[in-house]
Amino acid sequence: MHRLLKRQLKKIFGEKEPDNQELKQLIELVDESYHHFHDDYLKLERILELSSKESFKELTNFKGAIDEAAIVSITDVKGEILFANDNFVKISGYSLSELIGSNHSIVNSGYHPKSFWKEMWASIGKGETFKAEICNRNKNGEIYWVNSTIIPFLLENGKPFQYISIRFDITARKKIEEEIKTLALVAQKTQNAVIMADVDGRAMWANEAFTTISEYAVDELLGKKPGDLLQGEDTDLETIKYVSDGLKAKIPMTFEILNYTKSG
């Protein structure tokens, strides 16, 4: 009998040599324990298998959602494009074969100074996430803006080996912002009172002429409905309703209305 087995039997039975019946019971006990262990092992293996499948499914769904909503690309540490999704192909105007192997400078508009790109490379080179609004140019020479997040993929030593860029098209918003700036510049120079409000009718901006005439400072106007401040007891209710209905219907209006200054 093997020495190790003898020592184990001695621990269980003492100095007494076990008879055949005792050995048989011990073997049955060991065999039963093994089967229990084996069953538990198979259950654990199945749980891990299901968990892996579920995790893979969740990752696939997540990737699908990102691909559908965002402009995605993956580059190596030199900036060479390794992957570009359909949205990137569509907005850039370049084919997938033109993008793969190229640098992101292929869509560089020249809008941002060199210091901007230097800061970006310094950040992601240290393994940090970089976020910015970036102006790009497509193959046809048209400008488009993206809200960009660049995330480094890191090795165990903390150094990046790839970068993933997730971007959202904000061109329409940037155009509106530029139009508002232009309108504000024109409105600021006119002698007429001009105020801009959001879709809920709350003041967003007022020119100097408006604050002079109304006697309200810009800070007192912002976020408030002008009518709540300017209308008084002699303001025509029908006119107020006409303005309210017009704003709800989003139609241009021309009207005369009696307003009150801050001092009444």
Side-chain angles (χ1 to χ4, degrees), residues 63 94 97 172:
K63 178 184 178 298
Y94 290 96
S97 60

Side-chain angles (χ1 to χ4, degrees), residues 15-258:
E15 296 297 332
K16 173 190 170 185
E17 284 285 332
D19 57 28
N20 290 338
Q21 182 62 29
E22 288 173 326
L23 284 174
K24 183 180 178 183
Q25 289 175 349
L26 177 62
I27 291 169
E28 288 175 352
L29 180 62
V30 171
D31 188 55
E32 183 181 358
S33 297
Y34 168 77
H35 282 299
H36 280 306
F37 167 78
H38 188 63
D39 287 344
D40 289 341
Y41 173 80
L42 291 176
K43 288 176 183 176
L44 180 60
E45 191 177 51
R46 179 59 177 162
I47 290 170
L48 291 173
E49 181 185 358
L50 290 173
S51 297
S52 297
K53 286 181 178 179
E54 191 64 30
S55 296
F56 179 76
K57 183 181 177 182
E58 288 179 2
L59 286 173
T60 301
N61 291 341
F62 180 73
K63 178 184 178 298
I66 291 293
D67 267 346
E68 184 70 26
I71 302 157
V72 183
S73 63
I74 297 175
T75 73
D76 61 17
V77 289
K78 295 179 180 178
E80 186 176 297
I81 298 171
L82 306 174
F83 167 84
N85 72 344
D86 291 341
N87 287 335
F88 192 13
V89 171
K90 183 179 178 181
I91 198 169
S92 70
Y94 290 96
S95 66
L96 184 60
S97 60
E98 288 176 305
L99 291 172
I100 300 299
S102 298
N103 193 281
H104 267 97
S105 60
I106 195 172
V107 292
N108 191 337
S109 66
Y111 177 86
H112 303 281
K114 290 182 180 179
S115 57
F116 174 88
W117 301 113
K118 186 177 180 180
E119 181 187 348
M120 182 204 76
W121 280 110
S123 295
I124 62 178
K126 291 186 292 186
E128 298 173 355
T129 297
F130 181 81
K131 297 181 179 181
E133 292 183 353
I134 298 176
C135 178
N136 288 331
R137 189 183 301 275
N138 67 18
K139 190 176 181 180
N140 295 327
E142 298 166 336
I143 292 293
Y144 67 94
W145 281 84
V146 290
N147 191 333
S148 182
T149 301
I150 304 172
I151 306 167
F153 290 155
L154 306 178
L155 297 167
E156 289 183 3
N157 61 9
K159 292 184 178 180
F161 68 95
Q162 283 182 350
Y163 303 112
I164 182 169
S165 298
I166 301 173
R167 301 173 290 269
F168 294 91
D169 184 7
I170 57 171
T171 307
R173 195 200 83 198
K174 296 297 284 188
K175 285 182 178 178
I176 292 172
E177 287 177 357
E178 285 302 313
E179 288 173 1
I180 289 174
K181 285 179 183 178
T182 302
L183 286 171
L185 184 62
V186 173
Q188 189 65 46
K189 294 182 177 181
T190 182
Q191 297 300 311
N192 296 319
V194 180
I195 189 167
M196 293 183 186
D198 61 19
V199 291
D200 295 319
R202 300 185 183 279
M204 298 170 57
W205 179 88
N207 71 348
E208 188 176 340
F210 190 96
T211 59
T212 300
I213 294 170
S214 69
E215 299 176 358
Y216 285 98
V218 173
D219 291 343
E220 295 177 292
L221 293 165
L222 296 182
K224 298 183 176 67
K225 294 185 177 182
D228 293 343
L229 298 174
L230 305 174
Q231 292 157 13
E233 57 181 349
D234 291 330
T235 304
D236 184 58
L237 296 178
E238 286 297 320
T239 305
I240 293 174
K241 185 177 184 305
Y242 168 75
V243 174
S244 178
D245 292 344
L247 289 172
K248 289 177 183 177
K250 298 178 182 179
I251 58 173
M253 294 171 286
T254 301
F255 57 90
E256 293 182 358
I257 189 168
L258 174 64

